[in-house]
Amino acid sequence: MRSAPAVGLLALLAGCATAPAQPGRPSTLSDLLLAMDASEKMGGDPRCRARTVSTTEVLVPVELAAQGVSGRWTERWTVDRCGVAVPYVVKFDRARDGDLDVSMQREVSDAEAATVPGGTIADPVLQRDTLAFLAQKDLWEAGPEARCRTRKIVATEVLTPLDGGEVEESRPVAGQWVERWTLDRCGASVDYVIRFNTTRKGTTFLADPQR
């Protein structure tokens, strides 16, 4: 997963486009986004009964892998919520086999966004991108029959300090490090080990449940 270097995001929910359709559940990306925007738990406003996706725009162009098939890109989708424009950042990641993973996050300013607790050395933007990815991954790990649909981070800690890196204003701008993030899944604690690799162009990271 790559964190965009300059977009302020607050992770509310992440959906996977490769998940099989379920009866009564959203069937398209637009349906999923509108369902998120209507969910009070996800920060939406269920009082509005008329919402549509009004505009879309590309924020980060397609970045193809060496094979020219897999790649990733980022778009902004704006929801018209009863006359109020609510922007979301939608990140696409196409795998080599053609499967397309999609994460959706409401876009907010850095002043509005909250950071996660604990000892993480990730900057606020990277924290929010990581949280969005973990929400998506943990929803997928729990499976479609799981009743719990909310996630929050309750603790973070550095397992392996920054190696071979550079720091500017206490923020890593080059190097690798490893952290443990503890996620609260409706009262159950789930630990993830996250491996960060950062450059001045952005940060990639991998997250796996700690067994």
Side-chain angles (χ1 to χ4, degrees):
M1 176 68 186
R2 180 180 298 276
S3 173
V7 179
L9 305 176
L10 173 61
L12 296 176
L13 178 68
C16 181
T18 57
Q22 301 292 326
R25 292 194 177 185
S27 57
T28 68
L29 291 182
S30 294
D31 291 341
L32 177 60
L33 184 60
L34 295 177
M36 288 170 54
D37 192 69
S39 171
E40 186 173 7
K41 289 184 178 180
M42 297 300 109
D45 185 358
R47 295 172 297 178
C48 174
R49 300 298 182 184
R51 71 189 78 232
T52 60
V53 176
S54 58
T55 63
T56 64
E57 60 179 310
V58 176
L59 295 180
V60 180
V62 176
E63 177 187 348
L64 292 177
Q67 294 80 3
V69 177
S70 59
R72 56 175 64 89
W73 69 98
T74 304
E75 300 180 1
R76 176 186 290 115
W77 291 27
T78 301
V79 173
D80 183 325
R81 183 197 289 171
C82 292
V84 177
V86 183
Y88 286 82
V89 170
V90 184
K91 296 186 177 183
F92 300 86
D93 193 342
R94 185 176 297 280
R96 293 181 181 179
D97 60 6
D99 283 346
L100 181 64
D101 287 337
V102 180
S103 65
M104 298 177 175
Q105 307 154 287
R106 185 167 65 87
E107 183 177 15
V108 299
S109 67
D110 286 340
E112 294 179 87
T115 54
V116 299
T120 180
I121 61 173
D123 65 59
V125 172
L126 179 55
Q127 289 179 36
R128 294 188 292 273
D129 284 353
T130 305
L131 174 56
F133 180 77
L134 286 185
Q136 173 185 346
K137 185 175 183 65
D138 198 66
L139 284 168
W140 184 261
E141 291 277 348
E145 303 303 321
R147 294 184 178 182
C148 176
R149 311 303 295 174
T150 60
R151 306 290 191 274
K152 65 179 180 179
I153 299 298
V154 295
T156 61
E157 62 178 309
V158 176
L159 298 180
T160 303
L162 183 66
D163 177 40
E166 302 175 25
V167 177
E168 288 185 359
E169 299 179 353
S170 73
R171 181 177 69 89
V173 294
Q176 307 85 36
W177 76 99
V178 181
E179 297 184 2
R180 178 191 294 116
W181 287 35
T182 301
L183 182 147
D184 181 291
R185 182 196 292 165
C186 296
S189 294
V190 183
D191 290 330
Y192 280 86
V193 174
I194 307 173
R195 294 170 174 81
F196 295 94
N197 187 350
T198 189
T199 70
R200 292 181 182 274
K201 294 183 178 180
T203 303
T204 58
F205 55 86
L206 297 173
D208 295 295
Q210 187 172 41
R211 305 299 184 185

